[in-house]
Amino acid sequence: MYTKEGLEEVFIKGIRCLLAKPEKDNGHTLIFYHGWGSIPENQAFSAKILASYGFTVILPEIIHHGTRNPFPNPFDTEVLQKNFWKVVLHSVEEAEGLISCAVKSGLAKEGKICLIGSSTGGVIASGVFVEVSSITSLVTLNGSPAWEETEHLWRKSDGRPPAAEEELAQIRKYDPINRLENLKQRPVLMLHGSHDERIPSQGPKKFYDEAKKINDFVQYREYWNVTHTISLNMMEEMINWLMEIHK
């Protein structure tokens, strides 16, 4: 089945995904996670662009979005605050099965897989990256691999009290900044808008400052006056980086 955007609908380990196939396959697969309150279809244009460069692109649908028991109003403050980390943690925990199934089905090859995430998708992708060692590289677009720091910044901005220790324990378990040893020397690219009002840039900056001490292939770039959106310049830099890393 194909969507109106022209992408193939597939189910990988029971997870609905959209698939963009290249005309000339370069042998590499990109798994691209969408953001909060979004759906895979909203990344269809980006997927087509990436496929035009030879990449197979898989767009997973995250839990409680799209067709997966979606929240009626995902941006309701209570819904967002209560469920954000539950969705992130669930997505990280189910990712290894999805990736393994994608390899078995021929949609991806071991050692030739890159994770990409936009916004919440970047939070998820960074968690998966430090969990699954077979992933080759990571790109976050307005996401944050410093989970506890980002939660602290959100609570401070909202005027909420600090998170309970029980909730922090769950976040810390998978927080990429606590698992830097799992980065090894795998390439990471973080692109962020300087005026992002949803996910503060302090999170990825903190991760970069720590990760660069042990990884020579971590890059962070901030785009001046860009808010919580993917600019054309960000897309161009990501593609150039992907083409260089995945020759």
Side-chain angles (χ1 to χ4, degrees):
M1 175 180 171
Y2 285 82
T3 67
K4 60 184 176 62
E5 293 81 11
L7 301 187
E8 185 179 358
E9 182 183 62
V10 296
F11 288 84
I12 304 174
K13 195 66 177 179
I15 299 169
R16 178 179 180 266
C17 302
L18 298 186
L19 177 67
K21 291 183 177 179
E23 289 187 9
K24 187 176 181 181
D25 194 340
N26 65 14
H28 295 275
T29 296
L30 311 178
I31 300 177
F32 195 148
Y33 284 93
H34 64 80
W36 188 270
S38 185
I39 53 176
E41 283 82 351
N42 291 345
Q43 295 296 347
F45 182 67
S46 296
K48 290 178 184 178
I49 292 174
L50 293 165
S52 74
Y53 285 87
F55 297 100
T56 296
V57 185
I58 298 171
L59 305 174
E61 186 173 76
I62 65 176
I63 191 72
H64 297 309
H65 290 70
T67 64
R68 299 183 68 188
N69 189 26
F71 296 124
N73 185 0
F75 291 105
D76 175 83
T77 301
E78 184 177 355
V79 170
L80 179 57
Q81 293 176 355
K82 182 180 179 181
N83 294 286
F84 181 82
W85 291 112
K86 292 178 182 178
V87 169
V88 169
L89 293 171
H90 180 96
S91 300
V92 171
E93 289 170 352
E94 73 180 9
E96 189 165 11
L98 182 148
I99 293 165
S100 176
C101 190
V103 170
K104 289 178 181 177
S105 64
L107 294 175
K109 299 175 183 176
E110 289 277 0
K112 293 189 175 183
I113 303 171
C114 172
L115 295 180
I116 303 175
S118 169
S119 185
T120 300
V123 178
I124 293 168
S126 63
V128 177
F129 188 65
V130 295
E131 183 72 13
V132 183
S133 61
S134 61
I135 302 300
T136 308
S137 58
L138 168 70
V139 180
T140 68
L141 305 166
N142 299 316
S144 177
W147 293 6
E148 185 176 353
E149 173 71 10
T150 300
E151 175 66 11
H152 169 73
L153 291 167
W154 281 336
R155 286 178 173 272
K156 183 178 179 180
S157 176
D158 297 341
R160 288 184 287 152
E165 279 302 313
E166 182 180 357
E167 182 178 5
L168 284 177
Q170 293 179 311
I171 293 172
R172 288 168 180 161
K173 181 180 178 182
Y174 289 105
D175 191 342
I177 205 168
N178 294 334
R179 309 179 74 192
L180 292 175
E181 70 280 1
N182 289 359
L183 288 181
K184 300 183 174 25
Q185 289 295 316
R186 292 183 292 167
V188 176
L189 177 67
M190 294 173 285
L191 305 178
H192 214 95
S194 65
H195 288 60
D196 190 328
E197 71 287 355
R198 293 189 183 177
I199 297 185
S201 61
Q202 292 97 313
K205 282 180 184 176
K206 181 174 182 177
F207 182 86
Y208 172 70
D209 288 340
E210 294 301 316
K212 69 180 181 181
K213 297 174 184 177
I214 61 171
N215 185 319
D216 300 324
F217 300 98
V218 176
Q219 297 181 38
Y220 174 78
R221 176 70 66 85
E222 196 168 286
Y223 286 80
W224 182 248
N225 273 341
V226 173
T227 58
H228 194 67
T229 188
I230 302 173
S231 70
L232 288 176
N233 287 338
M234 292 167 79
M235 178 64 75
E236 180 182 20
E237 180 163 359
M238 175 177 69
I239 291 171
N240 290 338
W241 185 86
L242 288 169
M243 295 298 288
E244 177 65 24
I245 293 296
H246 299 284
K247 290 180 179 178

